[in-house]
Amino acid sequence: MTSAYITGLGVFLPNEPVNNEEIENVLGLVNGKPSRSKNRILKNNGIKSRYYAIDPKTGKQTHTNAQLTAEAVRILVKNTNISLEEIECLVCGTSSPDQIIPNHALMVHGELGCPPCEVVATSGVCCSGMTAFKYGYMNVSSGWSKNAVTTGSELASTAFKGVYFQPEIEAKIQDLEAKPIIAFEKDFLRWMLSDAAAAVLITDTPRQNGISLRIDWVEIISFANELETCMYAETRLHMAYQS
């Protein structure tokens, strides 16, 4: 097997940071009231600010997931001596793609506009980025490509706007009053997740100057056979046909 090294990183955080006091001004209130669980969750997770692909003044989305990821790759290119034209393998992981077809990685490839190369998309919630990383590592270490750019990104804010929670709150208001834990479960992820993208360059040789990290092994194991599912997301497929 060929050696594989991490030789470059790129991170993109959209817009200005949003502190904890301003989160609901960006995402919106649910039922017109501040969250009763927000402060407890924020105290426990220790996060002080978030980044959202949302314009705080207009409430409109500023980036797609593919655009977030493409920006991270461009920053990676600036940080290293590789060019977009030299990328041989592009692997992009996410659990919040902009659409089902074309897949997320193909959308990123289109955003970048780089020449034809191997393009792969991975999913799997928290492990989607690591799965992309492992595919890139295996591609380089097996000698199939000299380099691979792997990414992990999430665009969570589009699902956590207050307006999307309103109908369910109104339908279950009595249940919420009788069982506050239901509200906590629905509210929890709003104060945990935000938007960002990162890119990693994996090459078959170390950098000529700068730090390189040799990858010896990557293992990802599922315990879905033993543990309860911790979250669900619904996907509705809309297909248009043109005669």
Side-chain angles (χ1 to χ4, degrees):
M1 293 178 64
T2 303
S3 295
Y5 303 85
I6 297 174
T7 54
L9 299 171
V11 176
F12 180 70
L13 305 171
N15 304 314
E16 295 297 318
V18 177
N19 62 43
N20 291 344
E21 289 70 31
E22 296 296 323
I23 292 178
E24 284 184 297
N25 293 338
V26 177
L27 297 181
L29 299 173
V30 177
N31 206 33
K33 300 177 181 178
S35 167
R36 289 186 293 175
S37 63
K38 184 187 74 169
N39 290 337
R40 177 180 296 180
I41 296 169
L42 292 175
K43 180 180 179 180
N44 288 333
N45 65 31
I47 301 172
K48 302 300 182 182
S49 62
R50 307 286 197 298
Y51 290 85
Y52 296 111
I54 298 175
D55 185 330
K57 295 182 179 179
T58 65
K60 294 182 178 180
Q61 186 177 338
T62 59
H63 301 78
T64 65
N65 193 332
Q67 289 170 339
L68 289 177
T69 310
E71 288 298 327
V73 175
R74 294 187 184 104
I75 292 172
L76 166 68
V77 168
K78 291 181 180 178
N79 292 341
T80 62
N81 58 358
I82 194 173
S83 66
L84 289 175
E85 290 72 24
E86 294 175 293
I87 296 175
E88 297 186 12
C89 179
L90 176 65
V91 196
C92 302
T94 187
S95 57
S96 53
D98 300 310
Q99 72 284 308
I100 300 175
I101 303 171
N103 72 43
H104 173 60
L106 293 174
M107 297 301 292
V108 175
H109 189 208
E111 288 285 342
L112 292 171
C114 53
C117 63
E118 181 178 4
V119 177
V120 176
T122 64
S123 61
V125 194
C126 300
C127 66
S128 58
M130 280 304 302
T131 306
F133 178 83
K134 181 173 183 177
Y135 186 99
Y137 158 69
M138 291 191 300
N139 223 34
V140 173
S141 63
S142 64
W144 285 103
S145 63
K146 293 184 178 298
N147 66 65
V149 172
T150 69
T151 71
S153 65
E154 296 300 341
L155 184 64
S157 63
T158 55
F160 294 141
K161 292 184 177 180
V163 64
Y164 299 136
F165 289 70
Q166 192 64 35
E168 185 173 10
I169 292 294
E170 292 173 351
K172 296 186 175 182
I173 190 69
Q174 293 182 347
D175 291 339
L176 292 176
E177 292 175 352
K179 299 178 180 179
I181 188 62
I182 296 177
F184 180 82
E185 291 175 348
K186 296 297 181 183
D187 217 22
F188 178 73
L189 290 179
R190 297 186 81 208
W191 320 124
M192 292 295 296
L193 305 180
S194 52
D195 308 331
V200 176
L201 174 62
I202 302 173
T203 58
D204 60 358
T205 57
R207 293 181 64 168
Q208 295 299 316
N209 50 12
I211 297 175
S212 298
L213 300 176
R214 192 179 71 186
I215 310 168
D216 288 327
W217 187 255
V218 181
E219 185 175 30
I220 303 170
I221 300 175
S222 169
F223 290 91
N225 63 312
E226 299 179 9
L227 303 177
E228 292 291 332
T229 302
C230 63
M231 65 184 77
Y232 292 88
E234 179 184 358
T235 299
R236 297 184 178 181
L237 178 62
H238 298 273
M239 301 187 72
Y241 295 90
Q242 181 176 359
S243 59

